[in-house]
Amino acid sequence: MSSPVLATGLAEAKTLLSLPYAGEDFGLADCPVILVELTAADMSQWPSPESADLVKSTPAVMVVTVPDDRDPADAPKLAEICDPFDIVLASGDLEVPLAVPAAEIDQIAAAATASPAAAVALVQLLRLSQDRSTADGLVAESLAYSTLQSGPQFQGWLASQSSRLVPDNPEPAVLAERAGSTLRLTLNRPERHNAFSAEMRDGLVEQLRAAWADPSLDGIVLDGAGPTFCSGGDLAEFGTTPDPGTAHRVRSVRSAAFWIDRLAAKTRAMVHGTCVGAGVELPAYAHDVAAHPDTTFRLPEVAMGLVPGAGGTVSIARRIGRQRLCYFALTNTEIDAATALAWGLIDRIED
């Protein structure tokens, strides 16, 4: 089997990416990561508008390594060079914005090899959604997510899951409590670690729509009952929508992300415990996110053959940057509250 990483220098990368049907000719279906290894001498050669467009149009995870012997004075040029790439690697002090350790290339390659369709869809989606409106970004995300639901990686993952019996919950999946001009919305499926079900989604959307129409409301607090803020989409409901087209339609008309974004200036999220998938994506829309010191964050969708589907390709990218989000989502890396604060995913840590 060929290597999952095609490592190349700058000059070779320009030639490779300029060829017609580069993906087919160079077997990128079997080699979903292209690693461009910059040298200090490359600072004056890259990028041009044409080369940047080539990077952004290549159907592979485009990774660039930053040279250790770079001149600090080249920092503005280096940022321009790195901008078109999906992931930036650096060793040493990682002073390059949005860079991750160079040693992570093995994890990146393994993740892209395990779910190549989802990995490429992720980078294409993040490139496409950059600087777009929330509404446009959510549409693009939903279309990508719906398409991948029919793919072999997700179908294989789905088939590997044991069936789960979901007990009826006598209480509402979302609790709403008004105190003065503040509305507290609590995710309320603690027995399921607040797995984000259709009932929870619909309940949250209903409350947020009402909040949007209420001019007397000054603040919204979003939190979760029990030991977990939100463990992500309810696995018992995965694959239950009749077809991808219907799934896209449902996400389009019942989007909690859309309404949290519209109310972002009024919304404070208080997260704790485990935040997975939707549990990371939705609070990231709030203007203020506070996390308990024990909080962890993870985006597992690519490992399942999907992309984040609760609005995270928009909300998280705005908070931590497209390139760091690509690494975070692609590799299914779990980060703690301190890392989340350093990245900008949360605004503070508090008990």
Side-chain angles (χ1 to χ4, degrees):
M1 180 178 177
S2 61
S3 169
V5 177
L6 176 59
T8 180
L10 178 60
E12 294 82 359
K14 287 182 177 180
T15 301
L16 185 158
L17 299 180
S18 298
L19 293 174
Y21 308 108
E24 180 179 340
D25 293 346
F26 285 84
L28 293 184
D30 300 318
C31 181
V33 178
I34 294 181
L35 174 64
V36 178
E37 299 171 319
L38 292 181
T39 66
D42 293 329
M43 295 297 103
S44 63
Q45 302 180 46
W46 184 284
S48 66
E50 294 79 13
S51 59
D53 287 343
L54 285 171
V55 170
K56 290 183 177 180
S57 63
T58 300
V61 181
M62 297 298 297
V63 182
V64 63
T65 59
V66 174
D68 291 336
D69 59 347
R70 62 189 181 274
D71 186 336
D74 286 332
K77 182 68 173 178
L78 186 61
E80 185 182 5
I81 292 172
C82 293
D83 181 68
F85 287 87
D86 302 309
I87 297 176
V88 180
L89 301 180
S91 57
D93 52 18
L94 296 181
E95 289 180 353
V96 182
L98 306 184
V100 295
E104 295 297 313
I105 186 60
D106 291 338
Q107 188 178 4
I108 292 165
T113 303
S115 296
V120 172
L122 173 70
V123 298
Q124 291 174 323
L125 176 60
L126 291 177
R127 297 168 192 168
L128 180 66
S129 299
Q130 192 173 18
D131 300 323
R132 291 182 178 270
S133 68
T134 298
D136 288 347
L138 290 175
V139 169
E141 179 186 277
S142 180
L143 289 170
Y145 189 94
S146 299
T147 300
L148 291 167
Q149 283 183 309
S150 298
Q153 275 84 29
F154 176 68
Q155 290 299 316
W157 176 87
L158 193 61
S160 71
Q161 302 301 298
S162 59
S163 60
R164 294 176 173 83
L165 296 177
V166 183
D168 292 334
N169 184 352
E171 295 188 4
V174 177
L175 299 178
E177 181 182 1
R178 178 76 179 253
S181 61
T182 299
L183 175 67
R184 180 179 292 271
L185 299 177
T186 301
L187 306 183
N188 187 43
R189 301 183 74 208
E191 76 287 349
R192 297 282 293 168
H193 293 276
N194 291 327
F196 200 71
S197 63
E199 180 190 3
M200 181 177 285
R201 176 202 64 209
D202 292 348
L204 192 56
V205 168
E206 179 182 356
Q207 292 293 336
L208 292 169
R209 281 175 173 167
W212 174 257
D214 186 352
S216 69
L217 193 65
D218 293 331
I220 299 170
V221 176
L222 178 64
D223 62 9
T228 300
F229 172 71
C230 178
S231 59
D234 191 336
L235 301 185
E237 296 184 356
F238 274 40
T240 57
T241 307
D243 60 83
T246 299
H248 171 63
R249 174 64 176 165
V250 170
R251 276 191 296 274
S252 296
V253 299
R254 303 177 192 171
S255 172
F258 176 80
W259 289 101
I260 296 175
D261 181 67
R262 295 192 81 176
L263 291 158
K266 295 182 179 181
T267 303
R268 178 190 184 200
M270 300 176 63
V271 302
H272 67 282
T274 303
C275 296
V276 178
V280 186
E281 301 170 59
L282 293 177
Y285 281 101
H287 87 282
D288 182 50
V289 182
H292 190 274
D294 70 357
T295 311
T296 60
F297 304 84
R298 187 166 61 87
L299 296 174
E301 292 90 349
V302 173
M304 299 157 59
L306 300 172
V307 294
T313 58
V314 178
S315 63
I316 301 175
R318 287 176 181 170
R319 278 188 163 266
I320 71 174
R322 173 179 65 89
Q323 293 159 325
R324 190 163 278 164
L325 170 56
C326 183
Y327 162 76
F328 183 33
L330 178 63
T331 59
N332 193 18
T333 295
E334 182 177 271
I335 64 171
D336 59 16
T339 301
L341 181 63
W343 284 6
L345 182 59
I346 62 175
D347 298 295
R348 65 181 173 282
I349 299 173
E350 62 180 37
D351 290 326

